[in-house]
Amino acid sequence: MSSIPHNVSTDVYGREVKRQPGDNYLNHSKGIRSWLLTLDHKRIGIMYMIVVLSAFLLGGIFALMVRTELISPGAVLPVGDRAADGAMTDAGMDFYNHMFTLHGAVMVFMFIIPAIPAILGNLILPLMLGAKDVAFPRLNLLSWYCYMGGGALFVYVLGKGVLNAMFPEIGPFTPDFPGLSLFGWQLIPAFEFFGWWTEPGLAGFWGGGGLDTGWTFYTPYSTDTATAVTAAVLGAFILGFSSILTGVNFIATIHMLRAPGQGWYRLPLFLWALYATSIIQILATPVLAITLLLLIAERTLRVGIFDSSLGGDPVLFQHFFWFYSHPAVYIMILPAFGVISEVIAAFSRKHIFGYKFIAFSSVAIALLGFLVWGHHMFVSGQSPVTNAIFSLLTFSVAVPSAIKVFNWVTTMYKGAIRLDTPMLYAIGFLGMFLIGGLTGLFLGSLGTDVHLHDTYFIVAHFHFVMVGSMMFAFLAGMYYWWPKIFGKMYCEWAGRMGAVIVFIGFITTFYIQFVAGSQGMPRRYATYPEMFWTHHFVSTIGAYILGFGLFWVLGTWVHSLVKGRAAPANPWGHNSLEWHTNSPPPHENFAVTPQGSDPYHFDQWHYDPELDTYVLEPTEDQPAPAPGAPRTPTTA
Amino acid sequence: MSDHDHTHDHDHPPHLAHHFDTPTQQFESGKLGMWVFLATEILMFGGLFCAYAVYRANNPDVFLYAHHSLNTKLGAINTVVLLASSFTMAWGVRAAQLGQKPLLVVMLALTFLGGCGFMGIKTVEYMDKWEHAHWVGPWNEYHPDHQADESHAEADFGPDAPPENGVLPEDHPAEGSSEAEAAPGMVDQSPAPTGVEQPDRATETAPAPQPDAVAARSPAEPALPQDRVSLIRPAANAPAGLRTEVVAGDDVPVAEAPYPSRETMTPLDRDRTHIFYQIYYLMTGLHGLHVLIGMGLIAWIGVRAFAGHFGPAYYTPVDLVGLYWHLVDLIWIFLFPLLYLIH
Amino acid sequence: MLAILAQNDATLYLPAPDSTFAGEYDWVFYFIYYISVFFTLVITAAAVYFAVKYRRRADRTEGEHTSTHHTGLEMTWTIIPLIIVLAIFYFGFRNFMDMATPPGDAYKITVNSNRWNWTFIYPNGAITDTLYIPADRPVELTLTSADVIHSLFIPAFRAKKDAVPGRYNKMWFQANYDPDDDRIGPVLEGEGIDGEFTGLTLPLYCAEYCGQQHSQMLSTVVVLPVEQFRDAITQLAEPRGTPAEIGQRLTEIHGCAQCHAFEEADTAGTGPALYDLYGNPERSVQSDGTRREPTEEYIRESILYSGRSIVRGYRNEMPSFAGRLSDNEILAITEYFKSISTHYEGDLLEHLPGQEPAEDEGEGEQAAGETEPTEGDAPPAEEPEPADETVTEEPQ
Ligand code: HEA
Ligand code: HEA
Ligand code: CUA
Ligand SMILES: [Cu+2]
């Protein structure tokens, strides 16, 4: 291991890659414009990575504020005037409501939905297909700008909230305040003449600052609150378009741009997962878009479709919202399934077990996921028959999930397992997804959901599937493809250490929330009865450990970028096509269009202890091209 | 998918992007992408169609009544205009395929004109609604927040606004009987659910007290104090979808009288009438937006066609915009009968 | 609170089951729980075992070439979970149908919710902010909301239902009551009614996010033995005290103090302060700058049509109380406002005697009178007797 010169990268045959300027996508061209106007899927992926991780950090900071406030029942964060008895003030409670709402909204719309598809998918999908790019590179860039636009609105909402809190005299805080306002700022003072402009319609348009509706935007609260719902909803709307564009792109790419020999059943499972995800993205997101438009119309024009005082029906909003948002939870988890399939196969050094079942269970989940939205509304007054149907359908989704889990474990059976960082996260994923998914059964079951609905049991359930499963898979994927993306290895022991800290922190934070929830602790509570103090205290301590672990993870990445050893073409010996090119890949991915083959057939790769990497043995019919010739040869 | 290796050396047709192997592959990709995108469009409108279905199912009479104020004649003309423009669009695509540049330009121009015609007629319709206070949001006379007597409203609706302005005194006994404020036209700005705080409705229809509960208990168990009627409005007056929850013994008639007549409308239905308009504006508005976008696209490919960019070898944009335009047309084909031709 | 910690049958996951269907609920819960524990343990154990057993450190051999698929195996782990989830569905469904179908003879209570306060209205006209229910009797709640969605949640009963504006959702439960339960303690103290009452006090939460004070929209359920319940609820339906006292009680019941300050020390600031309001125009400067004289009319309008008169510096947040407060009740509340205003000249005591006789009757209507047609029907105080008779006549 030590014999390898530090900064030498090797190609798939284990030969040194002579680094030249412009030989990979990272240094292919220079300057900020070459990034901001790039059409290269890999660069767009990197740009996504930067902003999505920032969003994650932002959401995480909100999470830590939420947890800090909950460390004891009274007021903790120094917000507003302190009540003498340490009880929570109105300002403190408002603040808490803003925190958890922004936490949920940022995490869902800006982190978890784009995380795997937009970062890893963009970076890896064309490579895995053996393509030069996605089908519509311009749309791809547009999707990033949509993300930025939507994100900017979220940041505006947040910033305005902070400003409002700091300078309450600026800007209208109440929708009753007449005058022309744009972006929540008072442009023209109150003249009678402008009354019509603000009343009763546009006054509430941008609202005040911040957001306190919960990430679910339930009406009539969201049509009623004075916070910046419209701006936030518009942000989510634009983010939705970003998601749709990615989905359209992936579907067209997977259909049209597969390398020769890359049949549907030779697609790595990550691509099947992304394909299924894209189906959901294009079918569900438009419904969210129209829902959010209706909400905006409701706030600005008071059309009353969701407002019972105007003849509308508030529960209809919930139907619309969950028609998108339940499938959206599978937008979050399906790509994670894909990552786990790759990682488990790679680190068990074994062909994945039950390829077709895993592939089709993704599609099954995607389709069945559209039929279960009503399970979020079991206690909203739906008729029992409707409830029963939704409950039954909910359980049908559990079965394909179960299939996947069993197949992964069987893949490990008699493997040659290496517990590198990605694999540690993958094993963590298995356990956490089991708990998260199985607690979904408590919620899908009609009777048990009545008591558990809107308690911390739900909070724990979805953090197990979103953090414990999806985020773990995301980290696994990041570590797994890190060498390919940046051409640098990360420090293995630090990576493992990070995985352990994150795992411990995670379990401490969220397992106890199941207990609190089933004991009756409702969610979205700024204060709580003292009987739940212990639960919350433990959970907060866990959150600090988890936060520390994630910063550690970030540290390992920064360290790798700065000091990491140059990565070989295929450090893990996986056979999917992205490993058939140099690390990092050249601008157009492959010097020669590769041939698709069974991605889980690892035998042709041999471990070279000298180089500490897997290399291809040149064979009779596949001789290695002359050194210095095109960097990436074709393989059979 | 192509089966031959792709290198940079072989000739690249001018319109072939670097990451495609053949023009066919590129064309097929574009077409697939467009179809997928159209699917998202349909789902987006699907949401509105669902809202439409829910409210129409719950308030069939309201829809039947309110649709009379739509101008069927103009709607029908618009349908014809849009169909014709779809036809010219298809012809244009054909012309592009055959490389008939002048025909293509003419056809695109005609299609564009069709779009203009459609939007023009739509504007006439909208203006008409505006003048009759059948506009969106609280600018609709049926909207509970509608303010007819304010200065700006007067300016908005003109002197010939309908005098009744939505509130029938006999249906709306003053809310607190002594209150002058409850007279027509007054507005309660707070979000006021139709439920409990409208005692008029509760009392009008409250069923007789029901001592039933007590009756069934065993003699050993003392009875519980029961005598009063609850404040709850009987479920028959609740939104129709909820009428399943009718309290036992409730015999309040649901308005089923032959519509439409403003005078026979229940207060509840009158309050809901504006919903029809809201849905009308949301649907036709979103559709109109699509027409405008489509017109922009047609103008764009029109200019390119004029510059001679298209020919039998490359006409993908024309084809894709054509698809989009047909979708816009198709949606209108659904909107027209749903909104204008209610029976 | 201590009492709750010391519950009898509470388990790690669930509080003590205090309603009839809670027992079955717990059974279903633990049924799913043990299935989950089983699968979690077996699968994680397998994964960890494989990871340890087949772990390679230095040598990098390939994994064994076991078969890459096995349809029989796949079908097994498709069908077994399918059967299990169908079983779970069945039990959950059965349990839910119990919760969803109130028996016909349930005692019916109306629940009105507004930000951030519960109002419980009993059939005899009593109104409380704590939910009193008879033990071992089915109780049916009809929930609605005056503003946004709330959700009534009683963990001990495993019962929850959303209160949706414009809808009338129903829920029911029957509380278990064991006189030897050590959680039972004195209740209804400070309500100013005669007699000693002991009951089981359980927490009640708002479970649907409803804004600022969502986390303080708490109340309690008090389970009383039937006789005590009848006694208490009959007394609670009777008006007590002067109009001002009744008014004060009404403001408590309707949770006005959540938003309004009633004395200088109060910190509630969502709405304008109400002490020193009556007769003090400083307190009623409108958002458009005009001053309105805070008279009876002003107070009445603010209660019924809260959006019409927004005091400067405040938002239009208050729900309308039209239909929830009768005219008499509003009068009583106005009297209360007068009593806490230094700007009110009249001597309260002198003010009253002249109206003494009328006042009694008025009070009777004040607390009870909600809807016009029934107001004259029967004085609430007389109710128990006819009700009792009904029972004695009843067979079985
Ligand atoms: C990544 C996101 C994600 C995922 C994957 C899931 C997965 C599932 N969820 Fe979850 N869910 C959320 C995110 C997610 N959920 C969120 C965010 C909310 C709350 C939203 C809000 O209100 O804010 C929520 C809320 C929620 C509710 C509503 C609760 C309520 O508000 O009352 C329900 C109810 O049915 C539910 C059910 C399920 C089920 C049955 C699954 C299933 O897909 C799980 C299937 C997996 C397994 C079952 C485990 C693997 C199986 C085995 C190993 C074999 C053994 C299996 C059997 C014997 C069956 N979820
Ligand atoms: C992807 C989704 C996601 C993620 C990751 C998280 C992460 C966390 N969540 Fe969140 N949560 C939600 C989605 C998510 N949550 C949603 C949807 C809700 C519901 C909101 C609502 O009710 O409306 C919710 C609500 C919610 C609540 C309930 C609030 C309430 O109901 O009152 C709580 C309370 O404990 C909580 C805690 C946490 C904690 C401690 C974390 C921790 O895991 C966070 C740790 C993260 C960090 C500390 C940031 C570290 C990041 C970096 C260092 C940046 C770089 C990153 C890397 C290099 C890895 N969350
Ligand atoms: Cu009321 Cu939450
Ligand atoms: Cu769901």
Side-chain angles (χ1 to χ4, degrees):
Chain A
M1 205 192 266
S2 49
S3 67
I4 316 159
H6 197 71
N7 255 336
V8 168
S9 175
T10 52
D11 70 6
V12 286
Y13 292 103
R15 294 171 309 198
E16 178 176 343
V17 177
K18 298 260 185 324
R19 282 275 168 240
Q20 314 145 3
D23 72 344
N24 68 55
Y25 76 101
L26 288 170
N27 61 13
H28 177 73
S29 51
K30 289 204 160 47
I32 185 83
R33 285 192 50 186
S34 79
W35 282 88
L36 289 181
L37 299 178
T38 184
L39 297 180
D40 181 350
H41 67 99
K42 300 181 287 305
R43 286 193 164 196
I44 294 174
I46 299 277
M47 298 201 300
Y48 258 120
M49 185 187 291
I50 294 167
V51 289
V52 171
L53 284 185
S54 314
F56 181 40
L57 178 61
L58 190 66
I61 291 170
F62 290 134
L64 294 182
M65 302 234 258
V66 164
R67 283 295 357 146
T68 305
E69 179 60 69
L70 293 177
I71 198 168
S72 82
V76 177
L77 296 174
V79 179
D81 306 326
R82 311 223 60 179
D85 55 353
M88 262 201 130
T89 57
D90 290 0
M93 288 185 283
D94 274 336
F95 185 76
Y96 179 85
N97 295 342
H98 284 244
M99 284 305 109
F100 80 71
T101 301
L102 287 165
H103 163 64
V106 167
M107 284 295 195
V108 168
F109 295 112
M110 293 183 67
F111 168 63
I112 193 168
I113 289 180
I116 296 185
I119 301 178
L120 297 175
N122 258 326
L123 279 159
I124 302 300
L125 175 134
L127 286 164
M128 272 189 163
L129 285 173
K132 289 183 172 170
D133 209 322
V134 290
F136 313 115
R138 280 197 199 85
L139 283 191
N140 206 12
L141 185 64
L142 180 62
S143 125
W144 186 78
Y145 278 103
C146 281
Y147 179 92
M148 295 305 282
L153 279 169
F154 267 60
V155 170
Y156 155 76
V157 169
L158 167 70
K160 185 71 194 321
V162 173
L163 284 179
N164 266 346
M166 288 182 351
F167 313 106
E169 63 280 3
I170 303 182
F173 194 65
T174 117
D176 309 316
F177 203 107
L180 175 60
S181 64
L182 180 69
F183 286 78
W185 295 87
Q186 205 67 33
L187 292 189
I188 298 180
F191 289 127
E192 263 313 302
F193 178 69
F194 283 105
W196 67 272
W197 179 247
T198 56
E199 216 184 286
L202 290 178
F205 190 89
W206 291 101
L211 187 66
D212 71 346
T213 58
W215 81 281
T216 47
F217 298 116
Y218 271 17
T219 52
Y221 188 76
S222 60
T223 50
D224 198 64
T225 169
T227 53
V229 179
T230 311
V233 160
L234 209 59
F237 179 80
I238 298 173
L239 289 172
F241 269 96
S242 157
S243 175
I244 291 179
L245 293 178
T246 307
V248 172
N249 228 329
F250 284 4
I251 287 196
T253 313
I254 294 178
H255 268 278
M256 303 307 300
L257 290 179
R258 279 168 289 146
Q262 178 85 293
W264 280 94
Y265 293 130
R266 285 180 171 180
L267 291 180
L269 289 166
F270 183 54
L271 295 187
W272 273 98
L274 284 181
Y275 187 77
T277 311
S278 304
I279 294 182
I280 310 180
Q281 278 176 327
I282 59 166
L283 293 185
T285 318
V287 178
L288 176 74
I290 199 70
T291 312
L292 297 179
L293 277 186
L294 284 173
L295 186 53
I296 292 176
E298 187 85 25
R299 269 184 80 83
T300 53
L301 300 171
R302 307 248 299 125
V303 296
I305 302 237
F306 300 137
D307 187 340
S308 65
S309 68
L310 302 178
D313 180 1
V315 180
L316 183 65
F317 176 84
Q318 300 181 18
H319 280 285
F320 274 168
F321 183 82
W322 291 116
F323 183 83
Y324 165 76
S325 289
H326 182 82
V329 310
Y330 296 116
I331 296 182
M332 305 166 190
I333 202 70
L334 283 176
F337 289 162
V339 173
I340 295 303
S341 302
E342 301 303 322
V343 169
I344 290 203
F347 290 88
S348 303
R349 305 229 40 75
K350 248 189 77 189
H351 195 287
I352 190 95
F353 187 85
Y355 176 93
K356 286 193 182 171
F357 270 84
I358 300 189
F360 282 110
S361 61
S362 288
V363 180
I365 292 176
L367 298 180
L368 290 173
F370 277 98
L371 308 176
V372 306
W373 77 88
H375 68 203
H376 293 271
M377 291 147 35
F378 284 159
V379 301
S380 70
Q382 263 177 171
S383 81
V385 182
T386 322
N387 277 347
I389 294 170
F390 279 124
S391 168
L392 195 58
L393 288 167
T394 299
F395 284 118
S396 72
V397 190
V399 176
S401 311
I403 294 175
K404 281 176 189 290
V405 172
F406 289 120
N407 277 308
W408 290 323
V409 176
T410 317
T411 304
M412 290 172 71
Y413 173 66
K414 291 199 176 172
I417 295 173
R418 296 182 48 200
L419 292 182
D420 287 344
T421 313
M423 188 62 172
L424 284 183
Y425 281 111
I427 293 175
F429 170 96
L430 281 184
M432 299 307 96
F433 180 65
L434 271 170
I435 300 180
L438 288 165
T439 48
L441 301 181
F442 290 75
L443 308 176
S445 151
L446 278 176
T448 36
D449 182 63
V450 170
H451 172 66
L452 300 172
H453 173 72
D454 270 342
T455 63
Y456 264 73
F457 196 91
I458 310 285
V459 175
H461 158 70
F462 67 69
H463 281 93
F464 264 77
V465 277
M466 301 211 291
V467 184
S469 309
M470 185 278 169
M471 188 194 78
F472 273 43
F474 172 67
L475 295 180
M478 284 293 284
Y479 277 106
Y480 174 65
W481 279 300
W482 188 266
K484 179 57 63 187
I485 296 171
F486 293 106
K488 304 266 192 164
M489 297 304 287
Y490 57 88
C491 172
E492 192 58 61
W493 75 264
R496 289 185 191 166
M497 187 75 187
V500 172
I501 303 175
V502 167
F503 184 80
I504 292 174
F506 173 77
I507 285 279
T508 319
T509 314
F510 292 111
Y511 193 81
I512 197 149
Q513 293 186 356
F514 283 122
V515 183
S518 57
Q519 288 285 359
M521 170 73 211
R523 65 191 278 206
R524 297 170 168 175
Y525 263 30
T527 63
Y528 49 87
E530 285 192 9
M531 64 180 279
F532 298 113
W533 196 339
T534 325
H535 305 94
H536 279 295
F537 186 80
V538 173
S539 181
T540 302
I541 300 302
Y544 293 153
I545 302 176
L546 176 56
F548 174 75
L550 286 169
F551 276 100
W552 179 287
V553 168
L554 185 61
T556 66
W557 293 348
V558 174
H559 176 265
S560 159
L561 287 181
V562 178
K563 290 228 157 130
R565 155 172 92 83
N570 190 355
W572 317 123
H574 196 293
N575 192 36
S576 52
L577 290 181
E578 80 271 25
W579 303 110
H580 285 260
T581 187
N582 287 349
S583 307
H587 176 60
E588 291 208 329
N589 294 350
F590 300 93
V592 179
T593 310
Q595 285 283 323
S597 62
D598 182 346
Y600 300 104
H601 191 72
F602 305 145
D603 280 4
Q604 47 186 327
W605 296 89
H606 298 285
Y607 183 66
D608 181 341
E610 273 293 282
L611 300 170
D612 187 20
T613 183
Y614 286 83
V615 294
L616 272 183
E617 274 332 294
T619 54
E620 292 278 301
D621 39 306
Q622 279 292 316
R631 285 174 298 273
T632 317
T634 318
T635 59
Chain B
M1 242 176 311
S2 86
D3 280 331
H4 48 98
D5 279 357
H6 174 183
T7 61
H8 262 272
D9 314 42
H10 65 212
D11 333 277
H12 230 78
H15 291 292
L16 183 58
H18 79 103
H19 58 289
F20 289 113
D21 290 337
T22 61
T24 328
Q25 190 191 23
Q26 177 168 2
F27 176 69
E28 299 274 304
S29 302
K31 204 139 180 181
L32 177 68
M34 194 64 196
W35 276 109
V36 172
F37 177 72
L38 294 187
T40 71
E41 290 280 13
I42 289 175
L43 276 147
M44 183 150 155
F45 276 96
L48 284 178
F49 281 113
C50 281
Y52 173 91
V54 168
Y55 283 104
R56 180 157 173 200
N58 284 350
N59 312 289
D61 298 338
V62 166
F63 274 57
L64 191 59
Y65 167 66
H67 100 277
H68 284 300
S69 65
L70 301 188
N71 191 329
T72 316
K73 204 185 288 165
L74 288 182
I77 294 176
N78 250 349
T79 312
V80 174
V81 169
L82 216 51
L83 275 175
S85 78
S86 229
F87 173 71
T88 54
M89 187 74 221
W91 198 346
V93 174
R94 176 101 185 118
Q97 281 169 349
L98 299 177
Q100 300 158 325
K101 179 183 148 186
L103 185 61
L104 169 61
V105 174
V106 169
M107 282 305 148
L108 288 177
L110 282 179
T111 315
F112 186 83
L113 280 181
C116 290
F118 180 88
M119 290 313 287
I121 293 175
K122 203 82 228 149
T123 314
V124 172
E125 283 190 62
Y126 274 19
M127 294 298 285
D128 185 60
K129 300 280 162 318
W130 168 257
E131 266 153 27
H132 288 87
H134 288 157
W135 192 235
V136 67
W139 295 280
N140 188 300
E141 58 167 317
Y142 296 103
H143 194 283
D145 283 357
H146 179 62
Q147 304 188 7
D149 51 354
E150 291 227 338
S151 52
H152 70 256
E154 234 138 52
D156 294 343
F157 302 118
D160 53 2
E164 332 75 320
N165 271 332
V167 184
L168 297 184
E170 66 273 20
D171 280 344
H172 251 206
E175 301 227 335
S177 36
S178 65
E179 285 297 309
E181 281 96 333
M186 266 322 272
V187 178
D188 179 355
Q189 288 189 334
S190 76
T194 40
V196 274
E197 82 269 41
Q198 284 165 351
D200 49 331
R201 290 178 198 163
T203 49
E204 264 168 18
T205 49
Q210 306 163 353
D212 63 321
V214 193
R217 306 279 341 163
S218 79
E221 295 174 28
L224 302 168
Q226 283 285 355
D227 264 351
R228 276 207 177 255
V229 178
S230 80
L231 289 179
I232 295 306
R233 184 178 55 167
N237 254 1
L242 302 172
R243 280 178 203 153
T244 43
E245 300 201 328
V246 164
V247 185
D250 187 344
D251 53 357
V252 180
V254 179
E256 63 214 356
Y259 244 96
S261 142
R262 274 183 109 138
E263 283 64 41
T264 57
M265 243 192 266
T266 64
L268 206 74
D269 279 342
R270 198 188 37 237
D271 274 5
R272 295 232 174 109
T273 303
H274 78 104
I275 294 272
F276 171 83
Y277 292 95
Q278 316 293 10
I279 290 178
Y280 167 79
Y281 287 111
L282 286 166
M283 290 180 122
T284 55
L286 194 66
H287 177 259
L289 194 68
H290 279 76
V291 174
L292 285 178
I293 294 173
M295 285 164 63
L297 293 173
I298 288 169
W300 170 64
I301 56 166
V303 171
R304 287 187 65 185
F306 193 70
H309 284 198
F310 305 120
Y314 177 66
Y315 56 90
T316 316
V318 187
D319 207 44
L320 298 188
V321 172
L323 277 179
Y324 181 83
W325 192 253
H326 295 321
L327 175 93
V328 170
D329 187 19
L330 184 78
I331 289 173
W332 179 256
I333 300 294
F334 280 99
L335 288 185
F336 176 62
L338 284 180
L339 292 170
Y340 290 75
L341 306 177
I342 296 177
H343 288 295
Chain C
M1 283 296 123
L2 268 182
I4 291 170
L5 285 177
Q7 286 157 352
N8 300 332
D9 303 313
T11 53
L12 171 61
Y13 287 97
L14 293 167
D18 288 316
S19 72
T20 45
F21 48 61
E24 192 191 343
Y25 178 94
D26 294 9
W27 185 86
V28 183
F29 184 95
Y30 278 105
F31 173 72
I32 311 178
Y33 177 72
Y34 287 117
I35 291 179
S36 304
V37 169
F38 173 78
F39 277 99
T40 312
L41 287 186
V42 168
I43 297 175
T44 343
V48 171
Y49 176 75
F50 294 159
V52 173
K53 169 121 191 264
Y54 303 116
R55 174 151 187 212
R56 300 287 195 283
R57 285 168 194 271
D59 72 309
R60 299 288 186 100
T61 45
E62 292 298 301
E64 235 174 85
H65 280 270
T66 51
S67 60
T68 59
H69 59 272
H70 187 290
T71 313
L73 213 50
E74 301 275 7
M75 290 320 286
T76 316
W77 59 52
T78 308
I79 289 169
I80 291 182
L82 191 64
I83 295 172
I84 294 177
V85 293
L86 286 179
I88 295 177
F89 166 75
Y90 171 72
F91 291 123
F93 178 66
R94 211 181 53 181
N95 189 209
F96 180 78
M97 287 319 285
D98 280 356
M99 298 174 171
T101 28
D105 59 349
Y107 180 72
K108 297 189 174 63
I109 300 175
T110 299
V111 184
N112 218 323
S113 51
N114 65 297
R115 276 176 279 185
W116 292 276
N117 179 60
W118 297 105
T119 316
F120 302 101
I121 305 163
Y122 301 81
N124 70 342
I127 301 179
T128 61
D129 55 356
T130 299
L131 177 57
Y132 297 101
I133 57 167
D136 299 317
R137 280 293 188 86
V139 173
E140 181 181 317
L141 307 184
T142 304
L143 300 116
T144 191
S145 162
D147 37 45
V148 299
I149 304 178
H150 305 271
S151 187
L152 190 135
F153 176 29
I154 306 170
F157 294 168
R158 317 285 187 264
K160 181 183 289 130
K161 198 75 171 192
D162 284 0
V164 183
R167 286 199 175 197
Y168 301 94
N169 285 341
K170 292 194 164 52
M171 72 191 287
W172 82 280
F173 41 75
Q174 175 168 339
N176 294 336
Y177 190 81
D178 171 9
D180 301 328
D181 194 332
D182 52 15
R183 293 173 298 163
I184 291 175
V187 293
L188 276 158
E189 289 163 333
E191 289 288 341
I193 58 175
D194 301 332
E196 294 203 342
F197 300 91
T198 54
L200 181 59
T201 307
L202 299 164
L204 179 156
Y205 304 115
C206 173
E208 181 62 62
Y209 175 67
C210 51
Q212 191 188 65
Q213 289 165 42
H214 165 58
S215 59
Q216 308 201 331
M217 194 163 160
L218 313 176
S219 182
T220 46
V221 194
V222 176
V223 186
L224 290 160
V226 175
E227 293 79 8
Q228 290 191 28
F229 172 78
R230 191 171 52 120
D231 185 12
I233 229 62
T234 311
Q235 289 195 48
L236 285 171
E238 285 164 12
R240 292 172 309 281
T242 65
E245 280 163 12
I246 292 170
Q248 178 171 17
R249 206 181 122 64
L250 284 168
T251 61
E252 284 161 15
I253 287 172
H254 290 282
C256 309
Q258 294 274 353
C259 302
H260 297 284
F262 281 93
E263 51 188 87
E264 214 142 357
D266 279 356
T267 52
T270 311
L274 298 181
Y275 63 91
D276 277 3
L277 166 69
Y278 186 87
N280 176 10
E282 296 303 317
R283 279 253 191 278
S284 55
V285 183
Q286 300 294 294
S287 54
D288 58 5
T290 56
R291 268 163 207 253
R292 301 215 20 208
E293 200 61 35
T295 56
E296 277 88 346
E297 288 77 18
Y298 175 76
I299 291 170
R300 179 188 161 80
E301 182 186 299
S302 301
I303 293 175
L304 291 181
Y305 309 102
S306 39
R308 283 187 200 163
S309 44
I310 305 296
V311 176
R312 188 159 68 188
Y314 294 92
R315 285 185 249 168
N316 179 8
E317 290 242 314
M318 180 165 146
S320 163
F321 281 81
R324 299 208 284 148
L325 288 171
S326 68
D327 284 351
N328 285 329
E329 286 171 330
I330 292 173
L331 279 177
I333 289 176
T334 314
E335 287 305 316
Y336 171 52
F337 287 179
K338 290 177 184 169
S339 75
I340 54 172
S341 172
T342 50
H343 295 257
Y344 179 58
E345 300 293 322
D347 179 337
L348 212 58
L349 285 179
E350 271 182 18
H351 188 69
L352 281 177
Q355 304 175 359
E356 201 90 85
E359 183 210 327
D360 268 346
E361 252 183 42
E363 283 169 14
E365 285 169 347
Q366 278 159 25
E370 286 300 326
T371 48
E372 289 297 332
T374 48
E375 210 151 277
D377 278 7
E382 291 169 22
E383 277 163 34
E385 288 107 78
D388 259 335
E389 280 161 23
T390 333
V391 165
T392 35
E393 281 161 19
E394 202 58 38
Q396 196 213 351

